[in-house]
Short mmCIF file of all heavy atoms in Angstrom, two decimals:
data_model
loop_
_atom_site.label_atom_id
_atom_site.label_comp_id
_atom_site.label_asym_id
_atom_site.label_seq_id
_atom_site.Cartn_x
_atom_site.Cartn_y
_atom_site.Cartn_z
N VAL V 935 -8.06 -12.94 -16.06
CA VAL V 935 -7.13 -12.77 -17.18
C VAL V 935 -6.80 -11.28 -17.31
O VAL V 935 -7.70 -10.44 -17.35
CB VAL V 935 -7.74 -13.32 -18.48
CG1 VAL V 935 -6.72 -13.21 -19.62
CG2 VAL V 935 -8.16 -14.77 -18.30
N ILE V 936 -5.52 -10.99 -17.32
CA ILE V 936 -5.07 -9.60 -17.26
C ILE V 936 -4.07 -9.34 -18.39
O ILE V 936 -3.11 -10.10 -18.56
CB ILE V 936 -4.40 -9.34 -15.89
CG1 ILE V 936 -5.44 -9.47 -14.78
CG2 ILE V 936 -3.76 -7.95 -15.86
CD1 ILE V 936 -4.84 -9.54 -13.40
N GLU V 937 -4.34 -8.29 -19.14
CA GLU V 937 -3.42 -7.96 -20.23
C GLU V 937 -2.25 -7.15 -19.70
O GLU V 937 -1.12 -7.30 -20.17
CB GLU V 937 -4.18 -7.16 -21.30
CG GLU V 937 -3.43 -7.02 -22.59
CD GLU V 937 -4.33 -6.50 -23.70
OE1 GLU V 937 -5.12 -7.29 -24.26
OE2 GLU V 937 -4.29 -5.29 -23.97
N LYS V 938 -2.54 -6.30 -18.75
CA LYS V 938 -1.50 -5.42 -18.21
C LYS V 938 -1.81 -5.12 -16.76
O LYS V 938 -2.97 -4.84 -16.41
CB LYS V 938 -1.52 -4.08 -18.98
CG LYS V 938 -0.31 -3.86 -19.88
CD LYS V 938 -0.38 -2.52 -20.56
CE LYS V 938 0.81 -1.66 -20.19
NZ LYS V 938 0.86 -0.40 -20.95
N GLN V 939 -0.79 -5.16 -15.91
CA GLN V 939 -0.98 -4.68 -14.54
C GLN V 939 0.30 -4.00 -14.08
O GLN V 939 1.40 -4.33 -14.54
CB GLN V 939 -1.35 -5.81 -13.57
CG GLN V 939 -0.23 -6.77 -13.24
CD GLN V 939 -0.58 -7.78 -12.14
OE1 GLN V 939 -1.74 -7.94 -11.77
NE2 GLN V 939 0.42 -8.46 -11.61
N GLY V 940 0.14 -3.05 -13.18
CA GLY V 940 1.32 -2.35 -12.67
C GLY V 940 0.92 -1.19 -11.78
O GLY V 940 -0.26 -1.04 -11.42
N SER V 941 1.90 -0.41 -11.40
CA SER V 941 1.63 0.70 -10.50
C SER V 941 2.50 1.90 -10.88
O SER V 941 3.53 1.75 -11.53
CB SER V 941 1.91 0.28 -9.05
OG SER V 941 3.19 -0.32 -8.96
N PHE V 942 2.04 3.06 -10.50
CA PHE V 942 2.78 4.29 -10.80
C PHE V 942 2.29 5.40 -9.87
O PHE V 942 1.25 5.26 -9.21
CB PHE V 942 2.57 4.70 -12.27
CG PHE V 942 1.13 4.90 -12.66
CD1 PHE V 942 0.47 6.09 -12.41
CD2 PHE V 942 0.42 3.85 -13.25
CE1 PHE V 942 -0.87 6.26 -12.76
CE2 PHE V 942 -0.92 4.01 -13.60
CZ PHE V 942 -1.56 5.22 -13.36
N ALA V 943 3.06 6.48 -9.84
CA ALA V 943 2.68 7.67 -9.06
C ALA V 943 2.30 8.80 -10.01
O ALA V 943 2.87 8.90 -11.10
CB ALA V 943 3.83 8.10 -8.17
N VAL V 944 1.34 9.60 -9.61
CA VAL V 944 1.02 10.83 -10.35
C VAL V 944 0.90 11.99 -9.35
O VAL V 944 0.62 11.78 -8.17
CB VAL V 944 -0.30 10.76 -11.16
CG1 VAL V 944 -0.17 9.89 -12.37
CG2 VAL V 944 -1.45 10.30 -10.26
N GLY V 945 1.09 13.20 -9.89
CA GLY V 945 0.90 14.40 -9.07
C GLY V 945 2.00 14.58 -8.05
O GLY V 945 3.09 14.03 -8.16
N GLY V 946 1.68 15.36 -7.02
CA GLY V 946 2.65 15.63 -5.96
C GLY V 946 3.51 16.83 -6.26
O GLY V 946 3.34 17.52 -7.27
N SER V 947 4.44 17.09 -5.35
CA SER V 947 5.34 18.23 -5.52
C SER V 947 6.70 17.86 -4.95
O SER V 947 6.90 16.75 -4.46
CB SER V 947 4.78 19.46 -4.81
OG SER V 947 4.57 19.16 -3.44
N VAL V 948 7.65 18.78 -5.08
CA VAL V 948 9.03 18.54 -4.66
C VAL V 948 9.48 19.68 -3.76
O VAL V 948 9.31 20.86 -4.10
CB VAL V 948 9.98 18.45 -5.88
CG1 VAL V 948 11.41 18.17 -5.43
CG2 VAL V 948 9.51 17.40 -6.87
N ILE V 949 10.01 19.33 -2.59
CA ILE V 949 10.69 20.32 -1.74
C ILE V 949 12.16 20.32 -2.13
O ILE V 949 12.78 19.27 -2.23
CB ILE V 949 10.61 19.92 -0.25
CG1 ILE V 949 9.17 19.80 0.23
CG2 ILE V 949 11.37 20.93 0.60
CD1 ILE V 949 9.07 19.31 1.68
N GLN V 950 12.72 21.52 -2.34
CA GLN V 950 14.16 21.64 -2.64
C GLN V 950 14.78 22.51 -1.54
O GLN V 950 14.43 23.68 -1.41
CB GLN V 950 14.35 22.27 -4.01
CG GLN V 950 15.78 22.70 -4.33
CD GLN V 950 16.73 21.52 -4.57
OE1 GLN V 950 16.50 20.72 -5.46
NE2 GLN V 950 17.77 21.41 -3.74
N MET V 951 15.69 21.92 -0.77
CA MET V 951 16.34 22.70 0.28
C MET V 951 17.49 23.51 -0.31
O MET V 951 18.16 23.06 -1.24
CB MET V 951 16.88 21.77 1.38
CG MET V 951 15.79 21.02 2.11
SD MET V 951 14.66 22.08 3.04
CE MET V 951 15.62 22.32 4.55
N PRO V 952 17.72 24.72 0.23
CA PRO V 952 18.83 25.52 -0.29
C PRO V 952 20.17 24.86 0.01
O PRO V 952 20.27 23.99 0.88
CB PRO V 952 18.69 26.86 0.45
CG PRO V 952 17.81 26.60 1.61
CD PRO V 952 16.99 25.37 1.31
N GLY V 953 21.20 25.31 -0.70
CA GLY V 953 22.55 24.78 -0.48
C GLY V 953 22.90 23.71 -1.49
O GLY V 953 22.12 23.41 -2.40
N THR V 954 24.07 23.15 -1.34
CA THR V 954 24.56 22.11 -2.27
C THR V 954 24.82 20.84 -1.48
O THR V 954 25.49 20.85 -0.45
CB THR V 954 25.88 22.57 -2.94
OG1 THR V 954 25.63 23.83 -3.57
CG2 THR V 954 26.33 21.55 -3.97
N PHE V 955 24.26 19.76 -1.95
CA PHE V 955 24.45 18.46 -1.30
C PHE V 955 25.89 18.01 -1.49
O PHE V 955 26.42 18.04 -2.60
CB PHE V 955 23.49 17.44 -1.91
CG PHE V 955 23.67 16.04 -1.38
CD1 PHE V 955 23.23 15.71 -0.11
CD2 PHE V 955 24.28 15.06 -2.15
CE1 PHE V 955 23.39 14.42 0.38
CE2 PHE V 955 24.45 13.77 -1.66
CZ PHE V 955 24.00 13.45 -0.39
N ASP V 956 26.52 17.61 -0.43
CA ASP V 956 27.88 17.10 -0.47
C ASP V 956 27.84 15.58 -0.24
O ASP V 956 27.61 15.12 0.89
CB ASP V 956 28.72 17.77 0.62
CG ASP V 956 30.16 17.29 0.63
OD1 ASP V 956 30.42 16.16 0.15
OD2 ASP V 956 31.02 18.03 1.14
N PRO V 957 28.04 14.78 -1.30
CA PRO V 957 27.85 13.33 -1.16
C PRO V 957 28.85 12.70 -0.19
O PRO V 957 28.60 11.58 0.29
CB PRO V 957 28.04 12.80 -2.58
CG PRO V 957 28.76 13.86 -3.33
CD PRO V 957 28.43 15.17 -2.67
N ILE V 958 29.97 13.38 0.09
CA ILE V 958 30.93 12.80 1.04
C ILE V 958 30.52 13.13 2.47
O ILE V 958 30.35 12.25 3.31
CB ILE V 958 32.36 13.30 0.73
CG1 ILE V 958 32.74 12.83 -0.68
CG2 ILE V 958 33.37 12.79 1.77
CD1 ILE V 958 34.05 13.33 -1.18
N LYS V 959 30.31 14.42 2.70
CA LYS V 959 29.98 14.85 4.07
C LYS V 959 28.59 14.36 4.49
O LYS V 959 28.37 13.99 5.65
CB LYS V 959 30.03 16.39 4.15
CG LYS V 959 30.72 16.93 5.38
CD LYS V 959 30.87 18.45 5.32
CE LYS V 959 29.55 19.20 5.37
NZ LYS V 959 29.66 20.64 5.13
N GLN V 960 27.65 14.40 3.56
CA GLN V 960 26.26 14.08 3.91
C GLN V 960 25.85 12.66 3.48
O GLN V 960 24.70 12.28 3.65
CB GLN V 960 25.31 15.07 3.22
CG GLN V 960 25.42 16.50 3.72
CD GLN V 960 24.64 17.45 2.80
OE1 GLN V 960 25.21 18.12 1.95
NE2 GLN V 960 23.34 17.50 2.98
N GLY V 961 26.77 11.92 2.94
CA GLY V 961 26.41 10.65 2.31
C GLY V 961 26.16 9.50 3.27
O GLY V 961 25.54 8.52 2.90
N ALA V 962 26.65 9.63 4.49
CA ALA V 962 26.48 8.53 5.43
C ALA V 962 25.07 8.52 6.00
O ALA V 962 24.50 9.56 6.29
CB ALA V 962 27.49 8.65 6.57
N TYR V 963 24.55 7.32 6.16
CA TYR V 963 23.24 7.19 6.79
C TYR V 963 23.35 7.60 8.25
O TYR V 963 24.24 7.17 8.97
CB TYR V 963 22.74 5.75 6.69
CG TYR V 963 21.47 5.53 7.45
CD1 TYR V 963 20.28 6.12 7.01
CD2 TYR V 963 21.43 4.78 8.62
CE1 TYR V 963 19.11 5.95 7.70
CE2 TYR V 963 20.26 4.59 9.32
CZ TYR V 963 19.09 5.18 8.85
OH TYR V 963 17.93 5.01 9.55
N ASN V 964 22.48 8.47 8.67
CA ASN V 964 22.50 8.97 10.04
C ASN V 964 21.17 8.66 10.71
O ASN V 964 20.15 9.24 10.33
CB ASN V 964 22.78 10.48 10.02
CG ASN V 964 22.85 11.05 11.42
OD1 ASN V 964 22.68 10.35 12.41
ND2 ASN V 964 23.11 12.35 11.50
N PRO V 965 21.18 7.77 11.69
CA PRO V 965 19.89 7.39 12.32
C PRO V 965 19.17 8.58 12.94
O PRO V 965 17.95 8.57 13.09
CB PRO V 965 20.31 6.40 13.41
CG PRO V 965 21.72 6.00 13.09
CD PRO V 965 22.33 7.12 12.31
N ALA V 966 19.92 9.63 13.29
CA ALA V 966 19.29 10.81 13.90
C ALA V 966 18.54 11.64 12.87
O ALA V 966 17.84 12.57 13.21
CB ALA V 966 20.34 11.66 14.59
N GLY V 967 18.68 11.28 11.60
CA GLY V 967 18.01 12.04 10.54
C GLY V 967 19.03 12.67 9.62
O GLY V 967 20.17 12.90 10.02
N PRO V 968 18.61 12.93 8.39
CA PRO V 968 19.57 13.43 7.40
C PRO V 968 19.87 14.91 7.59
O PRO V 968 19.08 15.64 8.18
CB PRO V 968 18.83 13.20 6.09
CG PRO V 968 17.37 13.30 6.45
CD PRO V 968 17.25 12.78 7.85
N ASP V 969 21.05 15.32 7.11
CA ASP V 969 21.35 16.74 6.91
C ASP V 969 20.74 17.11 5.56
O ASP V 969 21.17 16.63 4.52
CB ASP V 969 22.88 16.93 6.91
CG ASP V 969 23.28 18.33 6.47
OD1 ASP V 969 22.39 19.16 6.17
OD2 ASP V 969 24.50 18.58 6.40
N SER V 970 19.72 17.94 5.58
CA SER V 970 18.90 18.15 4.38
C SER V 970 19.48 19.16 3.39
O SER V 970 18.89 19.36 2.31
CB SER V 970 17.49 18.59 4.79
OG SER V 970 16.79 17.51 5.35
N THR V 971 20.61 19.76 3.72
CA THR V 971 21.18 20.79 2.85
C THR V 971 21.25 20.32 1.38
O THR V 971 21.83 19.27 1.09
CB THR V 971 22.62 21.15 3.32
OG1 THR V 971 22.55 21.51 4.69
CG2 THR V 971 23.20 22.29 2.49
N GLY V 972 20.62 21.09 0.50
CA GLY V 972 20.69 20.80 -0.93
C GLY V 972 19.91 19.56 -1.36
O GLY V 972 20.02 19.14 -2.51
N GLN V 973 19.15 18.98 -0.46
CA GLN V 973 18.43 17.74 -0.79
C GLN V 973 16.97 18.02 -1.18
O GLN V 973 16.43 19.10 -0.92
CB GLN V 973 18.49 16.76 0.39
CG GLN V 973 19.91 16.31 0.72
CD GLN V 973 19.94 14.88 1.25
OE1 GLN V 973 19.57 13.94 0.55
NE2 GLN V 973 20.42 14.71 2.48
N THR V 974 16.36 17.03 -1.81
CA THR V 974 14.96 17.15 -2.23
C THR V 974 14.08 16.11 -1.53
O THR V 974 14.58 15.12 -0.98
CB THR V 974 14.82 16.90 -3.76
OG1 THR V 974 15.36 15.61 -4.07
CG2 THR V 974 15.53 17.96 -4.57
N LEU V 975 12.80 16.36 -1.55
CA LEU V 975 11.80 15.36 -1.12
C LEU V 975 10.63 15.42 -2.11
O LEU V 975 10.03 16.48 -2.30
CB LEU V 975 11.33 15.65 0.30
CG LEU V 975 10.38 14.60 0.91
CD1 LEU V 975 10.54 14.53 2.43
CD2 LEU V 975 8.92 14.87 0.57
N HIS V 976 10.37 14.31 -2.76
CA HIS V 976 9.20 14.18 -3.63
C HIS V 976 8.07 13.63 -2.77
O HIS V 976 8.19 12.52 -2.24
CB HIS V 976 9.47 13.22 -4.77
CG HIS V 976 10.46 13.73 -5.79
ND1 HIS V 976 11.76 14.06 -5.48
CD2 HIS V 976 10.31 13.96 -7.12
CE1 HIS V 976 12.39 14.48 -6.58
NE2 HIS V 976 11.53 14.42 -7.59
N GLY V 977 7.00 14.37 -2.63
CA GLY V 977 5.89 13.91 -1.80
C GLY V 977 4.54 14.31 -2.36
O GLY V 977 4.43 14.93 -3.42
N ASP V 978 3.50 13.93 -1.64
CA ASP V 978 2.12 14.37 -1.91
C ASP V 978 1.56 13.83 -3.22
O ASP V 978 0.58 14.38 -3.74
CB ASP V 978 2.01 15.90 -1.88
CG ASP V 978 2.42 16.48 -0.54
OD1 ASP V 978 2.59 15.70 0.43
OD2 ASP V 978 2.58 17.71 -0.45
N HIS V 979 2.18 12.78 -3.75
CA HIS V 979 1.69 12.15 -4.97
C HIS V 979 0.61 11.13 -4.63
O HIS V 979 0.41 10.77 -3.47
CB HIS V 979 2.85 11.43 -5.67
CG HIS V 979 3.69 10.66 -4.69
ND1 HIS V 979 4.75 11.23 -4.03
CD2 HIS V 979 3.58 9.40 -4.20
CE1 HIS V 979 5.28 10.34 -3.20
NE2 HIS V 979 4.57 9.22 -3.28
N LEU V 980 -0.05 10.65 -5.66
CA LEU V 980 -1.03 9.56 -5.55
C LEU V 980 -0.42 8.31 -6.19
O LEU V 980 0.25 8.41 -7.22
CB LEU V 980 -2.31 9.97 -6.27
CG LEU V 980 -3.41 8.94 -6.48
CD1 LEU V 980 -4.77 9.67 -6.52
CD2 LEU V 980 -3.25 8.13 -7.78
#
Side-chain angles (χ1 to χ4, degrees):
Chain V
V935 183
I936 296 167
E937 193 168 281
K938 250 182 120 173
Q939 72 173 13
S941 50
F942 57 83
V944 287
S947 57
V948 181
I949 301 176
Q950 168 71 60
M951 296 296 277
T954 305
F955 176 75
D956 180 336
I958 298 175
K959 223 173 66 188
Q960 293 169 260
Y963 174 68
N964 181 359
D969 170 1
S970 288
T971 306
Q973 297 213 62
T974 57
L975 186 150
H976 291 60
D978 300 349
H979 44 271
L980 171 151

